Amino acid sequence: MTSLPESVDSKLGLVIDLDTCVGCHACVINCKEWNTGGYGSALSDGDAYGSDPLGAFLNRIHTYEVAGDSERSQIVHFPKSCLHCDDAPCVTVCPTGASFKRSEDGIVLVEENWCIGCGLCAWACPYGAREMDPGEGVMKKCTLCVDRIYNENLPEEDREPACVRACPANARHFGDLGDPESDVSRLVAERSGYDLMPEQGTRPVNKYLPPRPRRESDGISLDGLAEAERTGSDGFFGWLDRALERLG
Amino acid sequence: MHPAYSVIFFTVLSGAGFGFLSLLSVSDIVQRSLHSEFKLLCYGFGFVLATVGLFASMLHLRRPERAWRAFSQWRSSWLSREGVLAVAALAAAFLHAAFALVYGAYPVLTAIPVLLLSLATVYATGMIYAQLKTVARWNSKWTPTCFLGFSIAGGALLYATATSMAPQVQFSAGYPLYAMLALAAAWAAKSIWWKRGDSAKRISSAESATGLGGIGSVRLMESPHSGASYLTREMGYRVARKHARKLRMLAVLAGCAAPIALVFASIFVPGAVFWLSLASLSFFAGSIVERWLFFAESEHAMTAYY
């Protein structure tokens, strides 16, 4: 079971738009909420209200400063979760068969009742996409909300991963990346979506859309504001400013 | 990488145990027997050492009650292979020793599986680490070479110590010399491993990890979590890395220089049992420092995100 499937029928995954992500962490919170009550055991926290809290999350947002040629650097909010790799190294290292990749849709899952909590899969993953559950002692990872996407008890619009459903900026897209005609595949083709750490040879399914290049007219200049401050103003605060100035 | 005591003790103790078992079986293959009953004691000691190590490894598991499941995936997983091989090697050693107990002889036919399975187990232990592309320092054929080297060196030291203790056997300089050679070989491999590791380029960077390298250099501005996480504790371990140089010196001193000097002393100074026992203890102390560094010094690709 820990061998990878020879072929997958579809490649379900996420496309994450770094141009539109606003870094609000709503996807993180909705993921945590759903997965605490969904597939497997609760996604627990250790010492949640103490001085040294340590919680398991399946999705995390990093914020980067990217310094390019222009004087102004660029801020990029960067959501990261399991990429459901075609060549998932976390699957083949598993000694128990708890870690597996489904042949029907390519989702990488953990059978929690088989997991011995050795942590080797987390070592094998270059993305840091797997976290040990502090309460249950088993490995946790993004399930692509396998208990939502096929769930006929949910209204159809809710049958997508919790993170995608929560995103207020529409920065997350869900679909079949194995089908070149799907919306997500077209999006990747249009916006030159790319793989993270291609050098690790994991062939991730999830794709990232790069931030659009910035125009020089983007953003406002603060020079005018500073000028206004220097020349002073009238009225009460103008008088106060001058009075304080005189006091030395 | 986080240096867990359970894994440090497991690799050091099991390594030495299987190394000792493999050298005992070599002595049976070449028909160079110690006193028969004393040798049985030696097999017992090797067996216990390896087993204690394996139990130490189980302390590393968060759900040890399910450890039996780890025997199932030998087709794909080195960790599973190691488990299967370890049990097979212990079973082979038990069978070999049981035969000796009943018939009073150590047959070559049952000694060969002990040798092969013991070495294969240690190789598999090394491959658990060497297979990981995510840890540049580990991802090398020198990793299993070092594990085998330390296993055989520990085994050779224990074997030399055993010959000095064995009743009705004339102690000769041969076994201490073998032990010195094995020690030198193990540490030579380790120095190559260190040298390679120091210059081994991490294949991933913040730029490749985020794919934003095309725009410019990437720096983390806000961490996804304000406190620690499993990821930063397990993969982002940095404590005492700045003392790595000193600790390497300590490892070489205790694990290589001192044991070689003590083994040398055992040939010329009376009291070989004392000198060789001390040499073995010093080697294990040095090995523990070396193994601690093996984890603590190694950086994981995931840290590129932080």
Side-chain angles (χ1 to χ4, degrees):
Chain A
M1 192 172 242
T2 53
S3 298
L4 290 162
E6 282 179 13
S7 66
V8 288
D9 301 338
S10 62
K11 292 185 185 184
L12 294 186
L14 300 173
V15 173
I16 292 167
D17 190 343
L18 298 179
D19 193 61
T20 45
C21 176
V22 293
C24 69
H25 291 236
C27 55
V28 178
I29 302 307
N30 206 32
C31 166
K32 178 87 171 172
E33 191 276 337
W34 179 263
N35 284 293
T36 276
Y39 177 95
S41 59
L43 192 59
S44 69
D45 298 309
D47 195 23
Y49 301 99
S51 58
D52 192 21
L54 187 90
F57 285 78
L58 312 183
N59 179 29
R60 293 192 187 264
I61 315 294
H62 297 242
T63 298
Y64 295 104
E65 180 187 37
V66 189
D69 299 331
S70 100
E71 278 180 22
R72 275 174 288 133
S73 57
Q74 195 170 341
I75 302 302
V76 179
H77 302 291
F78 187 92
K80 177 165 68 67
S81 55
C82 171
L83 303 154
H84 299 279
C85 304
D86 279 343
D87 279 334
C90 55
V91 169
T92 48
V93 298
C94 177
T96 67
S99 199
F100 64 101
K101 185 174 174 74
R102 307 204 322 172
S103 59
E104 61 266 41
D105 51 17
I107 299 180
V108 177
L109 287 176
V110 175
E111 168 53 59
E112 292 183 6
N113 293 321
W114 292 7
C115 176
I116 55 174
C118 69
L120 189 58
C121 55
W123 286 7
C125 172
Y127 305 106
R130 288 173 167 244
E131 298 189 21
M132 187 81 79
D133 189 285
E136 199 64 16
V138 295
M139 198 52 77
K140 295 283 188 172
K141 67 174 297 302
C142 161
T143 66
L144 216 56
C145 284
V146 70
D147 47 357
R148 281 177 74 100
I149 58 177
Y150 299 114
N151 192 336
E152 291 183 1
N153 295 316
L154 294 176
E156 206 171 333
E157 64 270 26
D158 281 336
R159 289 179 212 159
E160 58 182 12
C163 57
V164 176
R165 193 82 183 100
C167 182
N170 223 11
R172 306 179 71 101
H173 307 272
F174 166 68
D176 180 7
L177 286 146
D179 171 11
E181 295 305 311
S182 69
D183 288 348
V184 279
S185 295
R186 286 207 190 115
L187 195 58
V188 170
E190 261 169 46
R191 295 273 310 280
S192 322
Y194 61 84
D195 291 347
L196 302 185
M197 291 186 177
E199 68 280 5
Q200 293 279 349
T202 53
R203 297 198 298 135
V205 168
N206 285 12
K207 299 282 183 271
Y208 282 72
L209 306 180
R212 292 185 173 89
R214 287 174 55 155
R215 291 164 303 211
E216 277 311 305
S217 60
D218 280 357
I220 51 158
S221 166
L222 298 178
D223 297 349
L225 273 175
E227 193 57 33
E229 192 124 303
R230 270 201 292 281
T231 52
S233 58
D234 300 327
F236 171 70
F237 286 107
W239 169 81
L240 187 66
D241 185 40
R242 286 190 295 277
L244 288 169
E245 204 72 51
R246 272 197 295 276
L247 283 173
Chain B
M1 305 297 292
H2 174 71
Y5 289 119
S6 52
V7 179
I8 292 173
F9 280 98
F10 150 59
T11 54
V12 170
L13 293 179
S14 276
F18 285 121
F20 191 36
L21 287 177
S22 63
L23 288 184
L24 284 167
S25 59
V26 167
S27 78
D28 287 335
I29 293 165
V30 298
Q31 302 284 313
R32 197 70 55 83
S33 270
L34 292 171
H35 183 269
S36 180
E37 275 151 32
F38 181 75
K39 191 165 216 177
L40 212 55
L41 213 64
C42 290
Y43 269 109
F45 183 69
F47 191 93
V48 169
L49 212 55
T51 312
V52 167
L54 289 173
F55 275 103
S57 79
M58 281 181 61
L59 297 176
H60 182 65
L61 307 180
R62 289 291 309 273
R63 303 298 293 249
E65 75 278 13
R66 300 172 181 164
W68 59 272
R69 288 191 182 275
F71 297 120
S72 64
Q73 303 300 313
W74 47 270
R75 279 187 299 273
S76 52
S77 163
W78 278 107
L79 181 50
S80 183
R81 281 172 202 159
E82 189 219 29
V84 172
L85 286 167
V87 171
L90 288 174
F94 182 81
L95 221 72
H96 181 57
F99 190 91
L101 186 66
V102 177
Y103 297 103
Y106 293 86
V108 176
L109 205 64
T110 49
I112 291 171
V114 180
L115 172 66
L116 296 179
L117 289 167
S118 296
L119 294 181
T121 306
V122 177
Y123 178 76
T125 308
M127 283 309 291
I128 294 172
Y129 305 102
Q131 69 176 334
L132 297 174
K133 216 173 170 181
T134 48
V135 184
R137 244 181 221 284
W138 294 352
N139 191 213
S140 151
K141 62 180 188 307
W142 286 100
T143 302
T145 311
C146 284
F147 274 83
L148 279 169
F150 273 71
S151 168
I152 292 167
L157 268 173
L158 290 175
Y159 194 86
T161 314
T163 57
S164 71
M165 290 176 177
Q168 301 163 19
V169 171
Q170 187 61 43
F171 177 69
S172 76
Y175 297 110
L177 279 173
Y178 286 143
M180 276 159 78
L181 273 176
L183 272 167
W187 283 98
K190 189 73 207 181
S191 70
I192 292 170
W193 189 87
W194 269 334
K195 205 166 183 150
R196 184 207 155 269
D198 290 343
S199 59
K201 281 226 162 49
R202 281 172 46 169
I203 58 171
S204 296
S205 61
E207 284 72 25
S208 76
T210 57
L212 299 170
I215 305 174
S217 64
V218 177
R219 184 181 73 89
L220 181 68
M221 200 178 82
E222 260 175 36
S223 171
H225 40 87
S226 52
S229 74
Y230 172 73
L231 299 175
T232 55
R233 283 195 188 166
E234 188 73 10
M235 265 82 84
Y237 188 87
R238 285 181 190 284
V239 182
R241 201 182 276 170
K242 61 175 185 286
H243 300 306
R245 296 262 149 221
K246 283 180 218 162
L247 286 167
R248 276 189 194 183
M249 294 262 286
L250 189 71
V252 172
L253 222 64
C256 180
I260 286 182
L262 289 164
V263 172
F264 199 69
S266 77
I267 302 171
F268 299 104
V269 188
V273 177
F274 173 75
W275 298 120
L276 287 168
S277 305
L278 208 61
S280 303
L281 286 175
S282 181
F283 172 75
F284 290 126
S287 298
I288 286 169
V289 179
E290 177 269 325
R291 215 50 55 87
W292 189 89
L293 281 169
F294 176 80
F295 292 98
E297 269 197 294
S298 300
E299 283 187 313
H300 193 276
M302 189 280 309
T303 54
Y305 286 105
Y306 283 86

